[in-house]
Amino acid sequence: MTVTALAPTPVAESILHAIGNTPLVRLHLPGVPAGVELWGKCEWFNPGGSVKDRTALSLVTEGERSGSLVRGKTIIDSSSGNTAVGLALVGRAKGYPVELVMPSSVSAERQRLCRAYGAQITYTAAASGSDGAILRVREIVAAQPERYFYADQYRSQANPLAHYRGTGPEVWEQTAGRITHFVAGLGTTGTLMGAGRFLHERDRRIRVVAVEPDHGMHGIEGLKHMETALVPEVYRPELQDASVPVTTDDAYATCAEVLASDGLFVGHSAGAALWAAREVAREAGEGVVVAVLPDGGERYLSGPEPSR
Ligand SMILES: Cc1ncc(COP(=O)(O)O)c(C=O)c1O
């Protein structure tokens, strides 16, 4: 394999201008039929290390545009980790203080990153998951509404809009309009709702496929089991054509598989998306399948090691 540079090295006016335009990489996961091209959208190339930089920038920019975020206010939100890092980064770059509410189970790497960016963290019980953090942030904001800009990634249309304007058009262009299946995990659902709506508008035949943990008690950070979770207000199930349940073990095992097949070190929700993408590929037999890979494996190094 000869490797040459894809494009001229980008120049950015600020670190915030470096959010988005992530690489789409061809993958060779075993078990994918020969008639299917499998591609991964490598979101850890964002400066904060995950897909959620897009959402964080969009939430803050929309807050400024609408006038609800002004100097002197503190940005606050609940997050299972990656939006927290994104908001900490964007807040720091733009000069706003940031407070984050997250379950204590969030990986140590992400907690430290948020603190390194200067954000303050309130922890909620691990057992109550991301829903416990949502309920707590609502209480904090209700007690002092004038103090905070509540980014509210579960409710704000700025979240799916980041993907309607960024992720969706990027994969459309990167595949030259050949994409047949778009596969992404559901957390806030912003990625699937925004990119899915854009792609459907371009070509209604594109299959928009949601990936969910198979069970409420799961170990795939960033994903929600909709049947048992607080359903995000931005979620519009009619925008998805199918949903694939994935077990935690399969998600972890697929992380190890794609590391072996392609040298990609991805996080667990990316493993889940790739497991589902392969199922989709097997069923379709042919096509161009794109899976969103929300973050990299280095975010989870302090956690349990998947068997290799
Ligand atoms: C690791 C990871 N995967 C997947 C997701 C889901 O993305 P979305 O919130 O756009 O549904 C998130 C969201 O925080 C995440 O952090």
mmCIF file with all atom_site columns, all heavy atoms in Angstrom, residues 28-31 249-264 266 271 274-275 278 282 306-308:
data_model
loop_
_atom_site.group_PDB
_atom_site.id
_atom_site.type_symbol
_atom_site.label_atom_id
_atom_site.label_alt_id
_atom_site.label_comp_id
_atom_site.label_asym_id
_atom_site.label_entity_id
_atom_site.label_seq_id
_atom_site.pdbx_PDB_ins_code
_atom_site.Cartn_x
_atom_site.Cartn_y
_atom_site.Cartn_z
_atom_site.occupancy
_atom_site.B_iso_or_equiv
_atom_site.pdbx_formal_charge
_atom_site.auth_seq_id
_atom_site.auth_comp_id
_atom_site.auth_asym_id
_atom_site.auth_atom_id
_atom_site.pdbx_PDB_model_num
ATOM 1   N N   . HIS A 1 28  ? -11.353 -2.409  6.770  1.00 0.00 ? 28  HIS A N   1
ATOM 2   C CA  . HIS A 1 28  ? -11.288 -3.776  6.234  1.00 0.00 ? 28  HIS A CA  1
ATOM 3   C C   . HIS A 1 28  ? -11.621 -4.803  7.308  1.00 0.00 ? 28  HIS A C   1
ATOM 4   O O   . HIS A 1 28  ? -10.935 -5.810  7.482  1.00 0.00 ? 28  HIS A O   1
ATOM 5   C CB  . HIS A 1 28  ? -9.884  -4.028  5.654  1.00 0.00 ? 28  HIS A CB  1
ATOM 6   C CG  . HIS A 1 28  ? -9.496  -2.966  4.676  1.00 0.00 ? 28  HIS A CG  1
ATOM 7   N ND1 . HIS A 1 28  ? -8.895  -1.794  5.063  1.00 0.00 ? 28  HIS A ND1 1
ATOM 8   C CD2 . HIS A 1 28  ? -9.691  -2.879  3.344  1.00 0.00 ? 28  HIS A CD2 1
ATOM 9   C CE1 . HIS A 1 28  ? -8.714  -1.030  3.997  1.00 0.00 ? 28  HIS A CE1 1
ATOM 10  N NE2 . HIS A 1 28  ? -9.189  -1.664  2.945  1.00 0.00 ? 28  HIS A NE2 1
ATOM 11  N N   . LEU A 1 29  ? -12.678 -4.507  8.053  1.00 0.00 ? 29  LEU A N   1
ATOM 12  C CA  . LEU A 1 29  ? -13.118 -5.390  9.133  1.00 0.00 ? 29  LEU A CA  1
ATOM 13  C C   . LEU A 1 29  ? -13.463 -6.764  8.549  1.00 0.00 ? 29  LEU A C   1
ATOM 14  O O   . LEU A 1 29  ? -14.184 -6.837  7.548  1.00 0.00 ? 29  LEU A O   1
ATOM 15  C CB  . LEU A 1 29  ? -14.369 -4.755  9.743  1.00 0.00 ? 29  LEU A CB  1
ATOM 16  C CG  . LEU A 1 29  ? -14.725 -5.011  11.197 1.00 0.00 ? 29  LEU A CG  1
ATOM 17  C CD1 . LEU A 1 29  ? -13.594 -4.617  12.127 1.00 0.00 ? 29  LEU A CD1 1
ATOM 18  C CD2 . LEU A 1 29  ? -15.994 -4.221  11.542 1.00 0.00 ? 29  LEU A CD2 1
ATOM 19  N N   . PRO A 1 30  ? -12.989 -7.855  9.166  1.00 0.00 ? 30  PRO A N   1
ATOM 20  C CA  . PRO A 1 30  ? -13.339 -9.166  8.617  1.00 0.00 ? 30  PRO A CA  1
ATOM 21  C C   . PRO A 1 30  ? -14.846 -9.389  8.661  1.00 0.00 ? 30  PRO A C   1
ATOM 22  O O   . PRO A 1 30  ? -15.528 -8.897  9.553  1.00 0.00 ? 30  PRO A O   1
ATOM 23  C CB  . PRO A 1 30  ? -12.604 -10.154 9.543  1.00 0.00 ? 30  PRO A CB  1
ATOM 24  C CG  . PRO A 1 30  ? -12.143 -9.370  10.712 1.00 0.00 ? 30  PRO A CG  1
ATOM 25  C CD  . PRO A 1 30  ? -12.128 -7.924  10.341 1.00 0.00 ? 30  PRO A CD  1
ATOM 26  N N   . GLY A 1 31  ? -15.351 -10.126 7.662  1.00 0.00 ? 31  GLY A N   1
ATOM 27  C CA  . GLY A 1 31  ? -16.776 -10.469 7.650  1.00 0.00 ? 31  GLY A CA  1
ATOM 28  C C   . GLY A 1 31  ? -17.635 -9.505  6.869  1.00 0.00 ? 31  GLY A C   1
ATOM 29  O O   . GLY A 1 31  ? -18.841 -9.717  6.750  1.00 0.00 ? 31  GLY A O   1
ATOM 30  N N   . ASP A 1 249 ? -20.285 -6.658  25.179 1.00 0.00 ? 249 ASP A N   1
ATOM 31  C CA  . ASP A 1 249 ? -19.177 -7.548  24.796 1.00 0.00 ? 249 ASP A CA  1
ATOM 32  C C   . ASP A 1 249 ? -18.858 -7.427  23.310 1.00 0.00 ? 249 ASP A C   1
ATOM 33  O O   . ASP A 1 249 ? -17.688 -7.376  22.913 1.00 0.00 ? 249 ASP A O   1
ATOM 34  C CB  . ASP A 1 249 ? -19.524 -9.011  25.108 1.00 0.00 ? 249 ASP A CB  1
ATOM 35  C CG  . ASP A 1 249 ? -19.374 -9.309  26.586 1.00 0.00 ? 249 ASP A CG  1
ATOM 36  O OD1 . ASP A 1 249 ? -18.859 -8.429  27.315 1.00 0.00 ? 249 ASP A OD1 1
ATOM 37  O OD2 . ASP A 1 249 ? -19.795 -10.407 27.017 1.00 0.00 ? 249 ASP A OD2 1
ATOM 38  N N   . ASP A 1 250 ? -19.901 -7.388  22.467 1.00 0.00 ? 250 ASP A N   1
ATOM 39  C CA  . ASP A 1 250 ? -19.666 -7.260  21.019 1.00 0.00 ? 250 ASP A CA  1
ATOM 40  C C   . ASP A 1 250 ? -19.009 -5.921  20.687 1.00 0.00 ? 250 ASP A C   1
ATOM 41  O O   . ASP A 1 250 ? -18.136 -5.843  19.813 1.00 0.00 ? 250 ASP A O   1
ATOM 42  C CB  . ASP A 1 250 ? -20.982 -7.407  20.237 1.00 0.00 ? 250 ASP A CB  1
ATOM 43  C CG  . ASP A 1 250 ? -21.441 -8.863  20.157 1.00 0.00 ? 250 ASP A CG  1
ATOM 44  O OD1 . ASP A 1 250 ? -20.590 -9.768  20.311 1.00 0.00 ? 250 ASP A OD1 1
ATOM 45  O OD2 . ASP A 1 250 ? -22.644 -9.091  19.938 1.00 0.00 ? 250 ASP A OD2 1
ATOM 46  N N   . ALA A 1 251 ? -19.447 -4.856  21.369 1.00 0.00 ? 251 ALA A N   1
ATOM 47  C CA  . ALA A 1 251 ? -18.850 -3.532  21.113 1.00 0.00 ? 251 ALA A CA  1
ATOM 48  C C   . ALA A 1 251 ? -17.357 -3.562  21.447 1.00 0.00 ? 251 ALA A C   1
ATOM 49  O O   . ALA A 1 251 ? -16.512 -3.114  20.654 1.00 0.00 ? 251 ALA A O   1
ATOM 50  C CB  . ALA A 1 251 ? -19.569 -2.471  21.948 1.00 0.00 ? 251 ALA A CB  1
ATOM 51  N N   . TYR A 1 252 ? -17.022 -4.120  22.611 1.00 0.00 ? 252 TYR A N   1
ATOM 52  C CA  . TYR A 1 252 ? -15.611 -4.166  23.033 1.00 0.00 ? 252 TYR A CA  1
ATOM 53  C C   . TYR A 1 252 ? -14.795 -5.046  22.077 1.00 0.00 ? 252 TYR A C   1
ATOM 54  O O   . TYR A 1 252 ? -13.683 -4.701  21.677 1.00 0.00 ? 252 TYR A O   1
ATOM 55  C CB  . TYR A 1 252 ? -15.492 -4.716  24.455 1.00 0.00 ? 252 TYR A CB  1
ATOM 56  C CG  . TYR A 1 252 ? -15.782 -3.710  25.554 1.00 0.00 ? 252 TYR A CG  1
ATOM 57  C CD1 . TYR A 1 252 ? -16.931 -2.914  25.532 1.00 0.00 ? 252 TYR A CD1 1
ATOM 58  C CD2 . TYR A 1 252 ? -14.926 -3.569  26.639 1.00 0.00 ? 252 TYR A CD2 1
ATOM 59  C CE1 . TYR A 1 252 ? -17.197 -2.004  26.549 1.00 0.00 ? 252 TYR A CE1 1
ATOM 60  C CE2 . TYR A 1 252 ? -15.190 -2.652  27.661 1.00 0.00 ? 252 TYR A CE2 1
ATOM 61  C CZ  . TYR A 1 252 ? -16.329 -1.887  27.606 1.00 0.00 ? 252 TYR A CZ  1
ATOM 62  O OH  . TYR A 1 252 ? -16.587 -0.994  28.608 1.00 0.00 ? 252 TYR A OH  1
ATOM 63  N N   . ALA A 1 253 ? -15.383 -6.197  21.703 1.00 0.00 ? 253 ALA A N   1
ATOM 64  C CA  . ALA A 1 253 ? -14.657 -7.127  20.833 1.00 0.00 ? 253 ALA A CA  1
ATOM 65  C C   . ALA A 1 253 ? -14.389 -6.495  19.465 1.00 0.00 ? 253 ALA A C   1
ATOM 66  O O   . ALA A 1 253 ? -13.325 -6.712  18.864 1.00 0.00 ? 253 ALA A O   1
ATOM 67  C CB  . ALA A 1 253 ? -15.457 -8.418  20.669 1.00 0.00 ? 253 ALA A CB  1
ATOM 68  N N   . THR A 1 254 ? -15.331 -5.685  18.985 1.00 0.00 ? 254 THR A N   1
ATOM 69  C CA  . THR A 1 254 ? -15.142 -5.069  17.666 1.00 0.00 ? 254 THR A CA  1
ATOM 70  C C   . THR A 1 254 ? -14.064 -3.993  17.722 1.00 0.00 ? 254 THR A C   1
ATOM 71  O O   . THR A 1 254 ? -13.361 -3.762  16.730 1.00 0.00 ? 254 THR A O   1
ATOM 72  C CB  . THR A 1 254 ? -16.481 -4.510  17.125 1.00 0.00 ? 254 THR A CB  1
ATOM 73  O OG1 . THR A 1 254 ? -17.492 -5.502  17.330 1.00 0.00 ? 254 THR A OG1 1
ATOM 74  C CG2 . THR A 1 254 ? -16.387 -4.191  15.649 1.00 0.00 ? 254 THR A CG2 1
ATOM 75  N N   . CYS A 1 255 ? -13.898 -3.341  18.879 1.00 0.00 ? 255 CYS A N   1
ATOM 76  C CA  . CYS A 1 255 ? -12.767 -2.399  19.041 1.00 0.00 ? 255 CYS A CA  1
ATOM 77  C C   . CYS A 1 255 ? -11.454 -3.138  18.791 1.00 0.00 ? 255 CYS A C   1
ATOM 78  O O   . CYS A 1 255 ? -10.563 -2.637  18.089 1.00 0.00 ? 255 CYS A O   1
ATOM 79  C CB  . CYS A 1 255 ? -12.736 -1.816  20.452 1.00 0.00 ? 255 CYS A CB  1
ATOM 80  S SG  . CYS A 1 255 ? -14.105 -0.722  20.822 1.00 0.00 ? 255 CYS A SG  1
ATOM 81  N N   . ALA A 1 256 ? -11.339 -4.330  19.367 1.00 0.00 ? 256 ALA A N   1
ATOM 82  C CA  . ALA A 1 256 ? -10.109 -5.109  19.194 1.00 0.00 ? 256 ALA A CA  1
ATOM 83  C C   . ALA A 1 256 ? -9.957  -5.561  17.737 1.00 0.00 ? 256 ALA A C   1
ATOM 84  O O   . ALA A 1 256 ? -8.859  -5.570  17.187 1.00 0.00 ? 256 ALA A O   1
ATOM 85  C CB  . ALA A 1 256 ? -10.129 -6.321  20.131 1.00 0.00 ? 256 ALA A CB  1
ATOM 86  N N   . GLU A 1 257 ? -11.082 -5.896  17.104 1.00 0.00 ? 257 GLU A N   1
ATOM 87  C CA  . GLU A 1 257 ? -11.028 -6.363  15.704 1.00 0.00 ? 257 GLU A CA  1
ATOM 88  C C   . GLU A 1 257 ? -10.539 -5.276  14.759 1.00 0.00 ? 257 GLU A C   1
ATOM 89  O O   . GLU A 1 257 ? -9.713  -5.529  13.876 1.00 0.00 ? 257 GLU A O   1
ATOM 90  C CB  . GLU A 1 257 ? -12.432 -6.799  15.258 1.00 0.00 ? 257 GLU A CB  1
ATOM 91  C CG  . GLU A 1 257 ? -12.765 -8.232  15.548 1.00 0.00 ? 257 GLU A CG  1
ATOM 92  C CD  . GLU A 1 257 ? -14.044 -8.623  14.822 1.00 0.00 ? 257 GLU A CD  1
ATOM 93  O OE1 . GLU A 1 257 ? -15.124 -8.343  15.373 1.00 0.00 ? 257 GLU A OE1 1
ATOM 94  O OE2 . GLU A 1 257 ? -13.964 -9.161  13.722 1.00 0.00 ? 257 GLU A OE2 1
ATOM 95  N N   . VAL A 1 258 ? -11.066 -4.063  14.911 1.00 0.00 ? 258 VAL A N   1
ATOM 96  C CA  . VAL A 1 258 ? -10.682 -2.999  13.969 1.00 0.00 ? 258 VAL A CA  1
ATOM 97  C C   . VAL A 1 258 ? -9.262  -2.498  14.247 1.00 0.00 ? 258 VAL A C   1
ATOM 98  O O   . VAL A 1 258 ? -8.577  -2.003  13.357 1.00 0.00 ? 258 VAL A O   1
ATOM 99  C CB  . VAL A 1 258 ? -11.734 -1.847  13.953 1.00 0.00 ? 258 VAL A CB  1
ATOM 100 C CG1 . VAL A 1 258 ? -11.609 -0.950  15.172 1.00 0.00 ? 258 VAL A CG1 1
ATOM 101 C CG2 . VAL A 1 258 ? -11.619 -1.035  12.662 1.00 0.00 ? 258 VAL A CG2 1
ATOM 102 N N   . LEU A 1 259 ? -8.830  -2.690  15.483 1.00 0.00 ? 259 LEU A N   1
ATOM 103 C CA  . LEU A 1 259 ? -7.419  -2.374  15.785 1.00 0.00 ? 259 LEU A CA  1
ATOM 104 C C   . LEU A 1 259 ? -6.519  -3.351  15.024 1.00 0.00 ? 259 LEU A C   1
ATOM 105 O O   . LEU A 1 259 ? -5.522  -2.957  14.402 1.00 0.00 ? 259 LEU A O   1
ATOM 106 C CB  . LEU A 1 259 ? -7.189  -2.466  17.295 1.00 0.00 ? 259 LEU A CB  1
ATOM 107 C CG  . LEU A 1 259 ? -5.802  -2.094  17.811 1.00 0.00 ? 259 LEU A CG  1
ATOM 108 C CD1 . LEU A 1 259 ? -5.408  -0.697  17.344 1.00 0.00 ? 259 LEU A CD1 1
ATOM 109 C CD2 . LEU A 1 259 ? -5.773  -2.143  19.332 1.00 0.00 ? 259 LEU A CD2 1
ATOM 110 N N   . ALA A 1 260 ? -6.930  -4.635  15.019 1.00 0.00 ? 260 ALA A N   1
ATOM 111 C CA  . ALA A 1 260 ? -6.141  -5.659  14.323 1.00 0.00 ? 260 ALA A CA  1
ATOM 112 C C   . ALA A 1 260 ? -6.221  -5.507  12.802 1.00 0.00 ? 260 ALA A C   1
ATOM 113 O O   . ALA A 1 260 ? -5.222  -5.641  12.102 1.00 0.00 ? 260 ALA A O   1
ATOM 114 C CB  . ALA A 1 260 ? -6.623  -7.049  14.750 1.00 0.00 ? 260 ALA A CB  1
ATOM 115 N N   . SER A 1 261 ? -7.421  -5.200  12.286 1.00 0.00 ? 261 SER A N   1
ATOM 116 C CA  . SER A 1 261 ? -7.579  -5.186  10.817 1.00 0.00 ? 261 SER A CA  1
ATOM 117 C C   . SER A 1 261 ? -7.068  -3.902  10.192 1.00 0.00 ? 261 SER A C   1
ATOM 118 O O   . SER A 1 261 ? -6.590  -3.901  9.062  1.00 0.00 ? 261 SER A O   1
ATOM 119 C CB  . SER A 1 261 ? -9.047  -5.395  10.433 1.00 0.00 ? 261 SER A CB  1
ATOM 120 O OG  . SER A 1 261 ? -9.856  -4.344  10.907 1.00 0.00 ? 261 SER A OG  1
ATOM 121 N N   . ASP A 1 262 ? -7.170  -2.781  10.907 1.00 0.00 ? 262 ASP A N   1
ATOM 122 C CA  . ASP A 1 262 ? -6.892  -1.485  10.270 1.00 0.00 ? 262 ASP A CA  1
ATOM 123 C C   . ASP A 1 262 ? -5.972  -0.571  11.071 1.00 0.00 ? 262 ASP A C   1
ATOM 124 O O   . ASP A 1 262 ? -5.678  0.540   10.621 1.00 0.00 ? 262 ASP A O   1
ATOM 125 C CB  . ASP A 1 262 ? -8.217  -0.752  10.030 1.00 0.00 ? 262 ASP A CB  1
ATOM 126 C CG  . ASP A 1 262 ? -9.055  -1.437  8.972  1.00 0.00 ? 262 ASP A CG  1
ATOM 127 O OD1 . ASP A 1 262 ? -8.795  -1.215  7.788  1.00 0.00 ? 262 ASP A OD1 1
ATOM 128 O OD2 . ASP A 1 262 ? -9.950  -2.224  9.334  1.00 0.00 ? 262 ASP A OD2 1
ATOM 129 N N   . GLY A 1 263 ? -5.575  -1.001  12.282 1.00 0.00 ? 263 GLY A N   1
ATOM 130 C CA  . GLY A 1 263 ? -4.710  -0.130  13.087 1.00 0.00 ? 263 GLY A CA  1
ATOM 131 C C   . GLY A 1 263 ? -5.443  1.076   13.643 1.00 0.00 ? 263 GLY A C   1
ATOM 132 O O   . GLY A 1 263 ? -4.840  2.112   13.911 1.00 0.00 ? 263 GLY A O   1
ATOM 133 N N   . LEU A 1 264 ? -6.760  0.957   13.824 1.00 0.00 ? 264 LEU A N   1
ATOM 134 C CA  . LEU A 1 264 ? -7.550  2.055   14.383 1.00 0.00 ? 264 LEU A CA  1
ATOM 135 C C   . LEU A 1 264 ? -7.869  1.745   15.838 1.00 0.00 ? 264 LEU A C   1
ATOM 136 O O   . LEU A 1 264 ? -8.499  0.711   16.126 1.00 0.00 ? 264 LEU A O   1
ATOM 137 C CB  . LEU A 1 264 ? -8.880  2.162   13.617 1.00 0.00 ? 264 LEU A CB  1
ATOM 138 C CG  . LEU A 1 264 ? -9.075  3.401   12.756 1.00 0.00 ? 264 LEU A CG  1
ATOM 139 C CD1 . LEU A 1 264 ? -8.070  3.388   11.626 1.00 0.00 ? 264 LEU A CD1 1
ATOM 140 C CD2 . LEU A 1 264 ? -10.480 3.419   12.194 1.00 0.00 ? 264 LEU A CD2 1
ATOM 141 N N   . VAL A 1 266 ? -10.130 2.661   18.618 1.00 0.00 ? 266 VAL A N   1
ATOM 142 C CA  . VAL A 1 266 ? -11.366 3.430   18.797 1.00 0.00 ? 266 VAL A CA  1
ATOM 143 C C   . VAL A 1 266 ? -12.005 3.174   20.158 1.00 0.00 ? 266 VAL A C   1
ATOM 144 O O   . VAL A 1 266 ? -11.729 2.179   20.829 1.00 0.00 ? 266 VAL A O   1
ATOM 145 C CB  . VAL A 1 266 ? -12.393 3.091   17.686 1.00 0.00 ? 266 VAL A CB  1
ATOM 146 C CG1 . VAL A 1 266 ? -11.859 3.469   16.315 1.00 0.00 ? 266 VAL A CG1 1
ATOM 147 C CG2 . VAL A 1 266 ? -12.806 1.616   17.724 1.00 0.00 ? 266 VAL A CG2 1
ATOM 148 N N   . GLY A 1 271 ? -16.871 0.933   18.544 1.00 0.00 ? 271 GLY A N   1
ATOM 149 C CA  . GLY A 1 271 ? -16.920 -0.522  18.390 1.00 0.00 ? 271 GLY A CA  1
ATOM 150 C C   . GLY A 1 271 ? -18.354 -0.979  18.152 1.00 0.00 ? 271 GLY A C   1
ATOM 151 O O   . GLY A 1 271 ? -18.632 -1.814  17.287 1.00 0.00 ? 271 GLY A O   1
ATOM 152 N N   . LEU A 1 274 ? -19.429 -0.046  14.639 1.00 0.00 ? 274 LEU A N   1
ATOM 153 C CA  . LEU A 1 274 ? -18.814 -0.916  13.622 1.00 0.00 ? 274 LEU A CA  1
ATOM 154 C C   . LEU A 1 274 ? -19.435 -2.310  13.632 1.00 0.00 ? 274 LEU A C   1
ATOM 155 O O   . LEU A 1 274 ? -19.600 -2.929  12.581 1.00 0.00 ? 274 LEU A O   1
ATOM 156 C CB  . LEU A 1 274 ? -17.302 -0.993  13.848 1.00 0.00 ? 274 LEU A CB  1
ATOM 157 C CG  . LEU A 1 274 ? -16.554 0.276   13.429 1.00 0.00 ? 274 LEU A CG  1
ATOM 158 C CD1 . LEU A 1 274 ? -15.102 0.222   13.873 1.00 0.00 ? 274 LEU A CD1 1
ATOM 159 C CD2 . LEU A 1 274 ? -16.643 0.483   11.914 1.00 0.00 ? 274 LEU A CD2 1
ATOM 160 N N   . TRP A 1 275 ? -19.783 -2.799  14.808 1.00 0.00 ? 275 TRP A N   1
ATOM 161 C CA  . TRP A 1 275 ? -20.454 -4.107  14.875 1.00 0.00 ? 275 TRP A CA  1
ATOM 162 C C   . TRP A 1 275 ? -21.779 -4.032  14.110 1.00 0.00 ? 275 TRP A C   1
ATOM 163 O O   . TRP A 1 275 ? -22.096 -4.890  13.288 1.00 0.00 ? 275 TRP A O   1
ATOM 164 C CB  . TRP A 1 275 ? -20.686 -4.504  16.337 1.00 0.00 ? 275 TRP A CB  1
ATOM 165 C CG  . TRP A 1 275 ? -21.171 -5.922  16.481 1.00 0.00 ? 275 TRP A CG  1
ATOM 166 C CD1 . TRP A 1 275 ? -20.405 -7.037  16.617 1.00 0.00 ? 275 TRP A CD1 1
ATOM 167 C CD2 . TRP A 1 275 ? -22.539 -6.368  16.459 1.00 0.00 ? 275 TRP A CD2 1
ATOM 168 N NE1 . TRP A 1 275 ? -21.201 -8.155  16.691 1.00 0.00 ? 275 TRP A NE1 1
ATOM 169 C CE2 . TRP A 1 275 ? -22.522 -7.778  16.586 1.00 0.00 ? 275 TRP A CE2 1
ATOM 170 C CE3 . TRP A 1 275 ? -23.770 -5.719  16.346 1.00 0.00 ? 275 TRP A CE3 1
ATOM 171 C CZ2 . TRP A 1 275 ? -23.678 -8.544  16.618 1.00 0.00 ? 275 TRP A CZ2 1
ATOM 172 C CZ3 . TRP A 1 275 ? -24.939 -6.493  16.357 1.00 0.00 ? 275 TRP A CZ3 1
ATOM 173 C CH2 . TRP A 1 275 ? -24.879 -7.886  16.507 1.00 0.00 ? 275 TRP A CH2 1
ATOM 174 N N   . ARG A 1 278 ? -21.356 -3.747  10.303 1.00 0.00 ? 278 ARG A N   1
ATOM 175 C CA  . ARG A 1 278 ? -21.065 -5.028  9.645  1.00 0.00 ? 278 ARG A CA  1
ATOM 176 C C   . ARG A 1 278 ? -22.352 -5.847  9.468  1.00 0.00 ? 278 ARG A C   1
ATOM 177 O O   . ARG A 1 278 ? -22.548 -6.482  8.435  1.00 0.00 ? 278 ARG A O   1
ATOM 178 C CB  . ARG A 1 278 ? -20.036 -5.824  10.453 1.00 0.00 ? 278 ARG A CB  1
ATOM 179 C CG  . ARG A 1 278 ? -19.757 -7.188  9.833  1.00 0.00 ? 278 ARG A CG  1
ATOM 180 C CD  . ARG A 1 278 ? -18.515 -7.819  10.393 1.00 0.00 ? 278 ARG A CD  1
ATOM 181 N NE  . ARG A 1 278 ? -18.502 -7.790  11.841 1.00 0.00 ? 278 ARG A NE  1
ATOM 182 C CZ  . ARG A 1 278 ? -17.416 -7.999  12.586 1.00 0.00 ? 278 ARG A CZ  1
ATOM 183 N NH1 . ARG A 1 278 ? -16.256 -8.237  12.005 1.00 0.00 ? 278 ARG A NH1 1
ATOM 184 N NH2 . ARG A 1 278 ? -17.483 -7.955  13.896 1.00 0.00 ? 278 ARG A NH2 1
ATOM 185 N N   . ARG A 1 282 ? -23.758 -7.013  5.903  1.00 0.00 ? 282 ARG A N   1
ATOM 186 C CA  . ARG A 1 282 ? -24.083 -8.413  5.581  1.00 0.00 ? 282 ARG A CA  1
ATOM 187 C C   . ARG A 1 282 ? -25.484 -8.512  4.990  1.00 0.00 ? 282 ARG A C   1
ATOM 188 O O   . ARG A 1 282 ? -25.725 -9.246  4.040  1.00 0.00 ? 282 ARG A O   1
ATOM 189 C CB  . ARG A 1 282 ? -23.991 -9.276  6.837  1.00 0.00 ? 282 ARG A CB  1
ATOM 190 C CG  . ARG A 1 282 ? -22.546 -9.594  7.196  1.00 0.00 ? 282 ARG A CG  1
ATOM 191 C CD  . ARG A 1 282 ? -22.517 -10.507 8.415  1.00 0.00 ? 282 ARG A CD  1
ATOM 192 N NE  . ARG A 1 282 ? -21.154 -10.868 8.753  1.00 0.00 ? 282 ARG A NE  1
ATOM 193 C CZ  . ARG A 1 282 ? -20.691 -10.962 9.992  1.00 0.00 ? 282 ARG A CZ  1
ATOM 194 N NH1 . ARG A 1 282 ? -21.477 -10.717 11.017 1.00 0.00 ? 282 ARG A NH1 1
ATOM 195 N NH2 . ARG A 1 282 ? -19.448 -11.309 10.214 1.00 0.00 ? 282 ARG A NH2 1
ATOM 196 N N   . PRO A 1 306 ? -10.379 -4.725  27.050 1.00 0.00 ? 306 PRO A N   1
ATOM 197 C CA  . PRO A 1 306 ? -11.060 -5.764  26.280 1.00 0.00 ? 306 PRO A CA  1
ATOM 198 C C   . PRO A 1 306 ? -10.074 -6.878  25.956 1.00 0.00 ? 306 PRO A C   1
ATOM 199 O O   . PRO A 1 306 ? -8.872  -6.627  25.828 1.00 0.00 ? 306 PRO A O   1
ATOM 200 C CB  . PRO A 1 306 ? -11.492 -5.050  25.002 1.00 0.00 ? 306 PRO A CB  1
ATOM 201 C CG  . PRO A 1 306 ? -10.650 -3.827  24.899 1.00 0.00 ? 306 PRO A CG  1
ATOM 202 C CD  . PRO A 1 306 ? -10.194 -3.489  26.292 1.00 0.00 ? 306 PRO A CD  1
ATOM 203 N N   . SER A 1 307 ? -10.558 -8.111  25.852 1.00 0.00 ? 307 SER A N   1
ATOM 204 C CA  . SER A 1 307 ? -9.653  -9.204  25.519 1.00 0.00 ? 307 SER A CA  1
ATOM 205 C C   . SER A 1 307 ? -9.225  -9.077  24.059 1.00 0.00 ? 307 SER A C   1
ATOM 206 O O   . SER A 1 307 ? -10.023 -8.691  23.216 1.00 0.00 ? 307 SER A O   1
ATOM 207 C CB  . SER A 1 307 ? -10.353 -10.545 25.748 1.00 0.00 ? 307 SER A CB  1
ATOM 208 O OG  . SER A 1 307 ? -11.614 -10.492 25.144 1.00 0.00 ? 307 SER A OG  1
ATOM 209 N N   . ARG A 1 308 ? -7.977  -9.344  23.749 1.00 0.00 ? 308 ARG A N   1
ATOM 210 C CA  . ARG A 1 308 ? -7.484  -9.145  22.388 1.00 0.00 ? 308 ARG A CA  1
ATOM 211 C C   . ARG A 1 308 ? -7.137  -10.488 21.749 1.00 0.00 ? 308 ARG A C   1
ATOM 212 O O   . ARG A 1 308 ? -6.760  -11.384 22.397 1.00 0.00 ? 308 ARG A O   1
ATOM 213 C CB  . ARG A 1 308 ? -6.232  -8.274  22.399 1.00 0.00 ? 308 ARG A CB  1
ATOM 214 C CG  . ARG A 1 308 ? -6.520  -6.944  22.993 1.00 0.00 ? 308 ARG A CG  1
ATOM 215 C CD  . ARG A 1 308 ? -5.680  -5.844  22.388 1.00 0.00 ? 308 ARG A CD  1
ATOM 216 N NE  . ARG A 1 308 ? -5.859  -4.607  23.123 1.00 0.00 ? 308 ARG A NE  1
ATOM 217 C CZ  . ARG A 1 308 ? -6.868  -3.764  22.936 1.00 0.00 ? 308 ARG A CZ  1
ATOM 218 N NH1 . ARG A 1 308 ? -7.758  -4.014  22.026 1.00 0.00 ? 308 ARG A NH1 1
ATOM 219 N NH2 . ARG A 1 308 ? -6.984  -2.660  23.637 1.00 0.00 ? 308 ARG A NH2 1
#
